[in-house]
Amino acid sequence: MQADTLQLIEKSSFTSDSPAEALKFLKAGIENGKIKVREIENFTTYKGPTISQVLNNVYGADPQPIIDTLVRFYQNWMTKQYVVKTEAVEEIYATLMLCWKRKAIGMIRGDFGKGKTKSVHSFCSEYEFARFVQLNSSTNTVSILNRIADAIGINSFAGSKEDKLQQIIRQLKRKPLMLIIDEADELNPRTLAILRDVHGDGEYCSVVLIVTHRFDKLIARPELGYLRSRINIKREIRETSFVEAKKIIDFWSHKLKKSDMEKAYAWSMKQYSLRSLVALMNRAYDIAQMNNQKSIDSDCIDEAYSWIVD
């Protein structure tokens, strides 16, 4: 298995990749045989020569509509290749779809490492109405409005905070969408409260908060009472089963016994769930490579624990 494949397995936020990154990946995938031009043709309806011209930046007309479609193919391809549809993923999908149909404010809660982010990006890659809103630790009321604007395709975005809010609302009324806010428990109360204003009365959009149990203390704040009362779809994410975890382990070339995999599964569930399992398998693969082995064996994974555990 090549190093780039390992990175793709570990990657959770592929729907946030820039169009340039997606096109670069597709071009390389065609050149190394990992992606077939026919796959792209069937998904996009564009023919091979046109696809080649866009990927090589020599297309004569406006390439943006084709680029948008190629980016959608990239996201869809990543989902099919590197997302295991566990029961937890299926439950996240079902909850997101229900929130969309009801135009509700929803909450999906689960501990770190259970695959929430990857599941959400997978959903966004399959459904055009779902938009992932990228946050960071310094996100405030103005920056979250900017990030929502980016997610829903507002190109010219200026004015006061109220002006920006109204631009977002007008855009969502013209084209209803679902806004998925990952790691919403990182937001401060004032920033979180503005999502209620974006949602309005649920006539034109859905807002879904992806959180951990830390969110319970935050949403209990008195100033968030109105938002709390509007969250009417809530789901707790279940743990991944061993059978499902084995499908993830099988992404790597290995010669592990069932007892090895059961031990890896039990350990990862006590740590950070799927995130820890992926980290463990990546380290075991590194050890196999250093030993000039093509596959992970029992010795490799036993040694890998010492690389990531004190």
Side-chain angles (χ1 to χ4, degrees), residues 156-179:
S156 179
F157 198 57
S160 67
K161 184 170 65 176
E162 179 62 25
D163 291 336
K164 291 183 175 184
L165 175 62
Q166 292 306 316
Q167 287 182 64
I168 288 172
I169 291 173
R170 286 195 297 271
Q171 176 75 356
L172 289 172
K173 284 183 176 180
R174 286 193 293 266
K175 184 180 180 181
L177 295 169
M178 168 187 280
L179 305 176

Side-chain angles (χ1 to χ4, degrees), residues 154-207:
I154 297 178
N155 297 319
S156 179
F157 198 57
S160 67
K161 184 170 65 176
E162 179 62 25
D163 291 336
K164 291 183 175 184
L165 175 62
Q166 292 306 316
Q167 287 182 64
I168 288 172
I169 291 173
R170 286 195 297 271
Q171 176 75 356
L172 289 172
K173 284 183 176 180
R174 286 193 293 266
K175 184 180 180 181
L177 295 169
M178 168 187 280
L179 305 176
I180 303 176
I181 317 295
D182 195 17
E183 299 183 1
D185 40 11
E186 295 283 353
L187 298 175
N188 62 51
R190 181 175 295 180
T191 303
L192 190 60
I194 204 167
L195 296 175
R196 176 200 68 192
D197 300 322
V198 172
H199 179 255
D201 294 322
E203 298 176 357
Y204 49 80
C205 81
S206 170
V207 176

Side-chain angles (χ1 to χ4, degrees), residues 93-154:
Y93 268 51
T95 304
L96 290 172
M97 190 60 75
L98 180 61
C99 289
W100 169 244
K101 290 180 178 179
R102 299 289 183 267
K103 299 298 185 293
I105 298 180
M107 180 184 78
I108 296 176
R109 184 175 59 189
D111 293 331
F112 292 110
K114 285 195 174 182
K116 301 186 300 298
T117 297
K118 195 158 194 172
S119 300
V120 166
H121 280 281
S122 172
F123 186 89
C124 290
S125 77
E126 295 188 36
Y127 297 99
E128 198 275 338
F129 61 79
R131 301 300 173 87
F132 184 85
V133 180
Q134 188 75 46
L135 305 180
N136 59 37
S137 59
S138 63
T139 300
N140 55 34
T141 52
V142 173
S143 61
I144 197 171
L145 291 174
N146 290 335
R147 292 173 187 277
I148 291 173
D150 288 339
I152 67 178
I154 297 178

